[in-house]
Amino acid sequence: MSKWENDISYPDITILSDLSELLGVSLDELLGKTTEPTVIQQRTEPKDSKDMILRIVINDSDGSKVKVNLPLSLIKLGLHSNFQVSSTGNKEILKDIDFDQIIKMAESGLIGKLVEIEDEDGTTVDIFID
Amino acid sequence: MRITINKFTFLLPNRFIGFVLKKAVINEDLFGDKTEKEVQDLFKLVRKELIEFKKRNGRIVLVDVKDSDGSRVKIVL
């Protein structure tokens, strides 16, 4: 170590990782590149539910595609008023989906694809919360 | 609100949102035993909610339907 401090020789590169761990500093700090330890802060604050979007994507077996994007607050409003989400193209596939439960899942922090259904005729329905 | 039907695009003032949604997204048979006033009140709330959402989050594609015959309907708020 003293040889390194006096610029006489340098430690073997293969021990640098162990050395940095032993001293509790990063490799950059060990090599003198930074003076302050880097602190990485990752903020993952959940989105307010009133700014979330419920996305419904229907790929019908006949080739038609339907995408509906609605604010979650709007779905809540519809459920509160005892309205049902419309089925599209006379498909009954959406009628059994519990949107109240989906909203509860979203409010508890679950986002992404929450529902994936494939009908017997090949129609698929995906429901996302973004 | 921008409504695109195939190659034609129509620009409508936001006050028509309730009317357009009623025709485009929600079937009238879902209104059940609600009175016309109840339905109108609901769509006023829908319009208010959508406009506030747009103010907070920007433009939103509400509906995008591509039919198997190539026709397309898109509603952008």
Side-chain angles (χ1 to χ4, degrees):
Chain A
M1 186 66 86
S2 64
K3 286 184 180 177
W4 188 12
E5 287 171 341
N6 293 309
D7 285 336
I8 297 169
S9 70
Y10 294 93
D12 192 308
I13 195 167
T14 58
I15 67 162
L16 285 180
S17 176
D18 291 337
L19 201 56
S20 71
E21 197 175 318
L22 180 72
L23 299 173
V25 294
S26 69
L27 280 173
D28 277 348
E29 288 174 86
L30 192 66
L31 298 172
K33 283 191 174 176
T34 57
T35 53
E36 291 180 10
T38 308
V39 179
I40 299 171
Q41 285 186 331
Q42 193 171 9
R43 297 187 66 181
T44 53
E45 287 181 11
K47 210 173 180 180
D48 193 329
S49 67
K50 68 182 178 183
D51 289 329
M52 289 181 178
I53 295 179
L54 179 91
R55 292 197 295 123
I56 303 173
V57 180
I58 303 172
N59 287 310
D60 210 326
S61 53
D62 67 1
S64 58
K65 292 180 180 178
V66 178
K67 293 179 187 173
V68 179
N69 302 317
L70 292 173
L72 205 60
S73 52
L74 204 63
I75 303 291
K76 284 162 78 174
L77 182 67
L79 289 174
H80 188 68
S81 306
N82 290 324
F83 272 72
Q84 296 173 318
V85 176
S86 169
S87 59
T88 307
N90 295 324
K91 293 284 176 189
E92 302 291 318
I93 201 164
L94 286 177
K95 288 197 170 175
D96 294 330
I97 295 173
D98 187 347
F99 284 93
D100 203 17
Q101 191 62 36
I102 288 175
I103 287 171
K104 282 179 186 163
M105 288 161 79
E107 286 176 337
S108 69
L110 278 175
I111 55 169
K113 188 191 275 190
L114 300 185
V115 176
E116 186 176 353
I117 300 172
E118 184 165 358
D119 206 355
E120 57 208 15
D121 66 356
T123 299
T124 62
V125 176
D126 296 322
I127 298 179
F128 305 80
I129 297 283
D130 291 333
Chain B
M1 173 176 270
R2 197 172 65 208
I3 301 174
T4 304
I5 302 173
N6 296 330
K7 292 179 180 176
F8 301 99
T9 299
F10 306 92
L11 295 174
L12 288 176
N14 285 339
R15 64 176 179 273
F16 287 112
I17 287 171
F19 172 78
V20 171
L21 282 178
K22 180 178 170 183
K23 293 295 179 190
V25 181
I26 301 176
N27 296 327
E28 293 194 39
D29 60 356
L30 295 175
F31 295 155
D33 56 357
K34 288 188 184 303
T35 65
E36 193 174 334
K37 187 181 180 310
E38 284 176 320
V39 174
Q40 282 176 352
D41 287 347
L42 178 73
F43 279 105
K44 278 181 190 168
L45 284 174
V46 168
R47 187 176 66 207
K48 184 168 172 273
E49 196 65 50
L50 281 173
I51 290 171
E52 284 176 3
F53 185 88
K54 188 188 174 186
K55 281 179 188 167
R56 290 194 306 269
N57 297 283
R59 194 172 292 277
I60 173 175
V61 179
L62 292 175
V63 179
D64 188 356
V65 180
K66 291 177 197 169
D67 214 340
S68 52
D69 65 1
S71 58
R72 185 174 190 184
V73 175
K74 191 174 178 183
I75 301 175
V76 181
L77 180 64

